[in-house]
């Protein structure tokens, strides 16, 4: 078989193809070598990072750490409680001092209340509550010689006479009440004055009463009231007294028959 010779064109194409293949191989080798070099440089210049691998702690370590943390938390809480307790103690102490100061100030400002009046002692044992006897003066001269006998006492027409109502009672009284009557044809009541309690001249009578929770002592005889009369005409007349109510310190009624009341004429 006779070999065919390549034509000029074929030779040229073949040469070009070979050149291209060589170029591709060269470029590929260059790229590979360059990539390897870059990789080496990066590996050389990059700092290595150390990764710490931790293993899970065992149960004993966990227990110890938990106890430590709990202990720390307890200490922290104890400190807080201590601070609170200290603050509370200071507050309580301050409050006590303030309260004591306020109490002391209040005591210094508060005036003492007046002592309660004691109940009067029994009649005859003390001067407390004792009703005294009033003794008016008699007239040293008379308006006339015309006589008027009043309760057995000789008086004179035109004169002003004084009359006292006295009471004697063995028990200390808290209440009494009564009235006195007189004849207006012979006498005119000019004035009345209470020695204890209240007295009032009305409707031709003299009314009197008294009430005292501390008691009124007539054990040695005392005067209830004094009245002044003008003698209007000669003759004979009388002034009469009527006791209505008497009660003792126990609020018990006192028998009127057990006491003595007397009208005294000062002419």
């Amino acid at each position: 078989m006779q070999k065919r010779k390549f034509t000029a064109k074929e030779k040229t194409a073949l040469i070009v193809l070979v050149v291209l293949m060589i170029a591709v191989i060269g470029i590929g080798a260059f790229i590979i070598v360059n990539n390897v070099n870059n990789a080496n440089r990066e590996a050389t210049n990059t700092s290595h990072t150390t990764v710490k691998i931790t293993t899970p702690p065992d149960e004993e370590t966990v227990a110890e750490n938990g106890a430590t943390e709990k202990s720390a938390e307890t200490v922290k809480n104890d400190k807080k409680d201590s601070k609170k307790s200290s603050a509370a103690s200071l507050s309580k102490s301050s409050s006590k001092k303030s309260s004591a100061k306020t109490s002391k100030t209040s005591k210094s400002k508060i005036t003492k209340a007046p002592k309660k009046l004691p109940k009067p002692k029994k009649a005859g044992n003390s001067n407390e509550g004792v009703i005294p006897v009033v003794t008016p003066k008699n007239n040293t001269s008379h308006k006339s010689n015309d006589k008027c006998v009043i309760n057995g006492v000789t008086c004179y027409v035109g004169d002003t006479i004084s009359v006292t109502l006295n009471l004697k009672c063995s028990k200390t009284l808290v209440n009494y009440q009564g009235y006195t009557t007189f004849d207006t044809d012979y006498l005119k009541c000019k004035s009345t004055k209470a020695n204890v309690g209240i007295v009032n001249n009305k409707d031709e009578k003299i009314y009197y009463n008294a009430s005292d929770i501390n008691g009124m002592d007539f054990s040695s005889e005392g005067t209830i009231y004094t009245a002044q009369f003008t003698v209007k005409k000669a003759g004979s007349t009388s002034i009469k007294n009527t006791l209505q109510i008497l009660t003792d310190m126990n609020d018990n009624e006192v028998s009127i028959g057990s006491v003595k009341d007397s009208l005294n004429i000062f002419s």
Side-chain angles (χ1 to χ4, degrees), residues 18 48-49 61 77 81 85 88 145 154 157 167 172 180 218 261:
V18 172
H48 295 281
T49 302
T61 304
N77 290 335
D81 292 340
S85 176
N145 294 323
T154 300
V157 177
L167 178 66
T172 302
T180 304
F218 288 94
D261 61 305

Side-chain angles (χ1 to χ4, degrees), residues 131-251:
I131 308 304
V133 172
V134 177
T135 306
K137 293 181 179 181
N138 289 309
N139 292 316
T140 57
S141 61
H142 305 291
K143 299 290 183 179
S144 71
N145 294 323
D146 298 330
K147 297 178 181 180
C148 180
V149 179
I150 307 170
N151 290 18
V153 177
T154 300
C155 300
Y156 296 86
V157 177
D159 285 356
T160 297
I161 63 172
S162 297
V163 177
T164 61
L165 173 61
N166 288 359
L167 178 66
K168 187 173 183 178
C169 178
S170 60
K171 294 184 178 181
T172 302
L173 302 176
V174 292
N175 293 292
Y176 66 73
Q177 179 179 299
Y179 63 90
T180 304
T181 59
F182 56 92
D183 190 340
T184 57
D185 290 337
Y186 290 91
L187 297 169
K188 179 183 179 180
C189 184
K190 293 179 63 177
S191 64
T192 56
K193 182 180 180 181
N195 190 38
V196 61
I198 299 172
V199 62
N200 184 28
N201 175 31
K202 184 180 180 182
D203 301 330
E204 301 177 359
K205 292 181 180 179
I206 298 173
Y207 298 92
Y208 58 87
N209 64 78
S211 179
D212 189 344
I213 60 173
N214 292 317
M216 296 169 285
D217 184 356
F218 288 94
S219 60
S220 298
E221 188 176 21
T223 299
I224 292 176
Y225 72 80
T226 302
Q228 289 187 324
F229 293 88
T230 299
V231 180
K232 295 171 65 176
K233 69 176 184 179
S236 179
T237 188
S238 63
I239 302 173
K240 296 180 180 180
N241 183 63
T242 301
L243 287 170
Q244 294 175 294
I245 298 173
L246 295 168
T247 55
D248 62 16
M249 291 293 291
N250 295 319
D251 205 29

